[in-house]
Structure formats: structure tokens, C-alpha cells
Amino acid sequence: MENFLVTGGAGFIGAATVKELLKRGHNVINIDNLNNYYSVQLKKDRLEDIEKIAYDVKTNYEFININLQDKKKLDIVFAEKKPSIVLNLAAQAGVRYSIENPFSYVDSNVVGFINLLEACRNNNIKNLVYASSSSVYGANSKLPFSEGDPVDNQVSLYAATKRSNELMANTYTHLYGFPATGLRFFTVYGPWGRPDMAPMLFAKAILKGEALNIFNDGNMRRDFTYIDDVVDAVIQCAFKIPTPNFPNPEQVENPSHSYSPHRIFNVGKGEPIELDYFIEILEINLGKKAKKIMMPMQPGDIKETLSDCTAIKKWINYKPSTSLETGVSKFIDWFKYYND
């Protein structure tokens, strides 16, 4: 069994990953700073759910409240706990909030990440898997988004910080030789999800009889990816160690190729879902119709996302299996239970 260090382990993807690692018998050090970007209580409830699983399976688990910007404390954690594999799922999230509060994104996503890279290179880790985002494709119009596409047209600071993470990781793996894998997540949803994302916002509004703000007049499509499929990809990639990759001359300009032990993959469902259809599935599961207010496109947002997951399918035989209908049903079951 491995000693995992998971950052952002009180967050949506982080908590789900920690729970699955514990169920599989691994030791986990879970670090998070419990910031107040959204409900701290939700984060504490996720941690309580993790504690119950850790108790049931009787594996080594510890939560440490720490900010990745605190390099000294982070270095102490690495030195004392000696993780073998690091999963960096911590970040200041949210596209729209990055317009209001840009410095928090630089502090968390850039400064915090460089501190983590330094800790990894100084502590002989076997592998680093880190969260990137589909938002790095920015203003690209070619669909589906592929890792080989140019990623130089970000339309939000959040996306820019995530792209910077990819560049920083590539540099560190080149200079110091430790392996890393970046995962570009596409619209992750499911139980214990973030309250600032559409599934939770829409479900709450529908139940309360409040109107939904529908941006770009509803002319939006998203590649919704269920949390269990994402967690499976994260853990499989943790055990698939990249080696130095020597591309042929035609591949040198391809952003997904590297001379270093570094890989970048899309993690999505590969199915574009109309926003109206997503709302319809919510309505069916909630037994209530939505009220809608049509709004213009928000700054920093993009009209459509769709993943090409050919590369990760070859890498780990990734096969997302949860349909939207099943995933939304599971989300609503949890949502009703949690808010009862």
C-alpha cells in the first residue's frame, strides 16, 4: 500500500478521492486550508464523512489544516509523513470569482503549486498527479478539445493559473526528473459537489421556486463528468508513472508532448450536453419545474466544452461509465438527504 498525500482533501474531488483511496487500503495524509470561498461547513461535513470511512476500514489517515502558501509547514509535512505519491487537488476554484479576486488565484494556484513542486523534488516522490482544467482551452473553437490543441487563449485568470501549473510541472520534471501527470477535468458533478456550480445552484433554486439565471440565453453545452469516473482516472494515473518522452520532429510543437516524464490528459465524458436538457433532468428528479431568467454570456465563460479522451483511454484504459441520467439521479438523492 502507498502513502498518499492529497491536497484539497476537503474539496469536492479531493474528498471523493481520499475516500476511495481509504477504501482501497492506502494510507492518506489529507491537507486543506478550509478557506471560505464557499461553505466551510460543507467542507467539514466532507471531512466527517471521510473520518467515518477511515474508522470503518482501519487504515492510516490524518487530516492537517495547512495552506500550500506556507512553505515551511508544507516542507515539515513532507519530511515527517514521507508521502510516496502526491495528488494535488487543491486550488482556488471558480472562473467568475477570478475576475473579482485575482490575487487569491495567484496565491493559491501559482505560489501554492510552486511550493508543492519544490517539496516533491526534495522528497523523492514516486509520482505527482495534479488537477488542471478544461478551461485552459479558453477561446478555442475546434471541438472536441484535444491535448494537442493550442492552449494560448485563456479567457479567465483561473484558466491562466491552471495553464501555468502545466508549464511549471513540465519545467520541474525536466529539471529534476520526477514524474508528473496533469489532468484537465471537464465539468465534474455529483454528490458532495461544490455549491457554486450549476447542479447545486440549479437544484436549490428549483426547490425554492426561485428563478435560474441562464447565461447566453441557454445556448451552452457542457461535457458533464460524474465524480466517480473522475476519481477512477485520478487513482489510475497515480499508479501509471510517466517516463521521459522523446517526440518525433512533427510532435515537438504539440502541447501534449514533452521530453520530460510529464503527461497531460483530458478527463471528461466525451458527450456534449445541452444546458436545457441538464435542467430538464434536474426537474424530473426534483419533481418540480424551473423558472428561468435569460442572461447574456458572463465574462470569462465559454459557450461549449467537449473532451477528446483518446489519449487517456490509451494510457489507463479510461472508460467513463456513468450516464448523465444516472449521475444526476445520484446527485439529487444525496442533495435531498444532505439538505433534509
Side-chain angles (χ1 to χ4, degrees):
M1 295 295 104
E2 296 288 350
N3 292 323
F4 279 85
L5 185 144
V6 180
T7 74
F12 175 30
I13 299 174
T17 302
V18 169
K19 286 188 280 189
E20 185 59 27
L21 287 170
L22 292 173
K23 290 175 184 177
R24 297 186 187 190
H26 298 289
N27 305 316
V28 180
I29 304 110
N30 179 2
I31 65 177
D32 199 294
N33 68 350
L34 299 178
N35 73 24
N36 62 358
Y37 165 63
Y38 64 80
S39 169
V40 175
Q41 188 57 53
L42 175 59
K43 297 177 182 181
K44 290 180 177 179
D45 290 342
R46 289 181 186 135
L47 291 175
E48 185 177 335
D49 196 47
I50 292 170
E51 292 279 359
K52 292 176 183 175
I53 292 171
Y55 178 81
D56 289 341
V57 299
K58 294 179 171 50
T59 51
N60 291 327
Y61 169 74
E62 183 179 1
F63 171 73
I64 303 173
N65 190 328
I66 185 175
N67 196 318
L68 292 184
Q69 293 138 255
D70 191 332
K71 186 178 184 303
K72 288 184 179 179
K73 287 185 179 179
L74 185 64
D75 288 343
I76 290 171
V77 169
F78 269 79
E80 291 183 350
K81 305 303 179 182
K82 302 187 185 317
S84 52
I85 298 177
V86 176
L87 307 181
N88 182 49
L89 302 173
Q92 176 58 63
V95 169
R96 291 164 189 156
Y97 185 63
S98 67
I99 296 172
E100 303 169 20
N101 195 353
F103 292 103
S104 67
Y105 288 77
V106 174
D107 290 342
S108 296
N109 301 359
V110 179
V111 176
F113 192 62
I114 195 72
N115 289 342
L116 189 74
L117 290 172
E118 277 287 293
C120 287
R121 72 113 163 174
N122 288 322
N123 287 276
N124 232 4
I125 60 133
K126 291 182 180 178
N127 199 10
L128 164 67
V129 177
Y130 65 94
S132 186
S133 168
S134 61
S135 65
V136 300
Y137 291 108
N140 288 12
S141 58
K142 170 190 159 291
L143 291 171
F145 295 148
S146 173
E147 296 91 341
D149 297 338
V151 280
D152 300 320
N153 293 300
Q154 282 78 43
V155 294
S156 71
L157 184 65
Y158 169 70
T161 62
K162 284 299 183 180
R163 178 58 181 150
S164 75
N165 288 171
E166 296 177 351
L167 297 171
M168 293 159 70
N170 193 67
T171 302
Y172 261 69
T173 58
H174 170 73
L175 290 173
Y176 306 112
F178 68 85
T181 305
L183 301 178
R184 293 173 176 171
F185 298 133
F186 281 71
T187 316
V188 186
Y189 75 101
W192 296 101
R194 278 178 25 213
D196 62 319
M197 294 188 69
M200 193 90 81
L201 289 171
F202 288 178
K204 284 182 178 179
I206 291 170
L207 278 182
K208 291 181 179 180
E210 298 172 351
L212 311 181
N213 290 328
I214 308 297
F215 296 105
N216 201 38
D217 296 323
N219 187 20
M220 308 271 277
R221 296 203 302 173
R222 288 290 182 269
D223 191 348
F224 287 98
T225 315
Y226 190 65
I227 182 64
D228 290 0
D229 294 324
V230 169
V231 168
D232 181 61
V234 171
I235 294 176
Q236 284 200 65
C237 284
F239 290 100
K240 178 85 172 187
I241 311 297
T243 54
N245 186 32
F246 299 98
N248 63 43
E250 288 76 24
Q251 294 175 322
V252 171
E253 300 300 326
N254 186 325
S256 69
H257 286 77
S258 170
Y259 287 100
S260 309
H262 180 230
R263 300 289 185 279
I264 294 173
F265 297 109
N266 290 337
V267 179
K269 184 68 167 64
E271 297 177 1
I273 302 297
E274 298 282 352
L275 186 58
D276 281 343
Y277 181 66
F278 181 77
I279 294 171
E280 182 183 329
I281 299 299
L282 283 175
E283 291 172 330
I284 291 169
N285 280 273
L286 291 167
K288 195 170 182 180
K289 296 293 287 184
K291 300 175 183 177
K292 303 175 185 178
I293 298 176
M294 296 302 173
M295 305 281 286
M297 181 74 93
Q298 286 280 94
D301 215 343
I302 55 180
K303 179 180 175 181
E304 187 171 9
T305 64
L306 176 61
S307 62
D308 177 351
C309 291
T310 303
I312 196 169
K313 286 176 182 176
K314 291 180 180 178
W315 185 246
I316 58 166
N317 197 28
Y318 170 70
K319 293 179 179 178
S321 59
T322 310
S323 68
L324 180 73
E325 293 77 11
T326 298
V328 170
S329 176
K330 290 181 177 181
F331 163 70
I332 293 299
D333 285 346
W334 168 83
F335 179 82
K336 289 178 177 177
Y337 165 78
Y338 184 74
N339 292 281
D340 189 11

